[in-house]
Amino acid sequence: MQKYTPFFINYITPQSIPTNCNSIIFINLGTTTAIIESVTLAPSQSFSIDGNAGEYMDAVIQINFSGVGNNNLVVVKKVF
């Protein structure tokens, strides 16, 4: 059995996010639209990228926000 650690990170400003993980989930808890690369998340929507056993994602993902309101994108990473 292999151990992993979940990391929970909140983002409120546009920026680049290094993945460095096996899987990643984006959850828009804000009132604005969150944009992950070209995927648009309305408030309360989520998007995930899952990895298989032994895989490692080494990418940089750009996040942005659109609209008036509160920005709050929660990112959960599964790191071995």
Side-chain angles (χ1 to χ4, degrees), residues 14-55:
Q15 58 192 283
S16 298
I17 300 173
T19 54
N20 304 324
C21 60
N22 172 263
S23 65
I24 191 167
I25 303 168
F26 302 91
I27 307 164
N28 186 2
L29 295 181
T31 57
T32 59
T33 299
I35 304 163
I36 296 93
E37 294 290 340
S38 61
V39 177
T40 302
L41 294 182
S44 300
Q45 284 188 318
S46 64
F47 172 70
S48 66
I49 303 170
D50 297 322
N52 296 313
E55 292 182 337

Side-chain angles (χ1 to χ4, degrees), residues 9-13 15 17 63 65 71-75 77:
I9 308 159
N10 284 71
Y11 294 95
I12 60 171
T13 58
Q15 58 192 283
I17 300 173
I63 63 166
F65 297 94
N71 301 338
N72 186 8
L73 183 68
V74 176
V75 177
K77 297 180 184 183

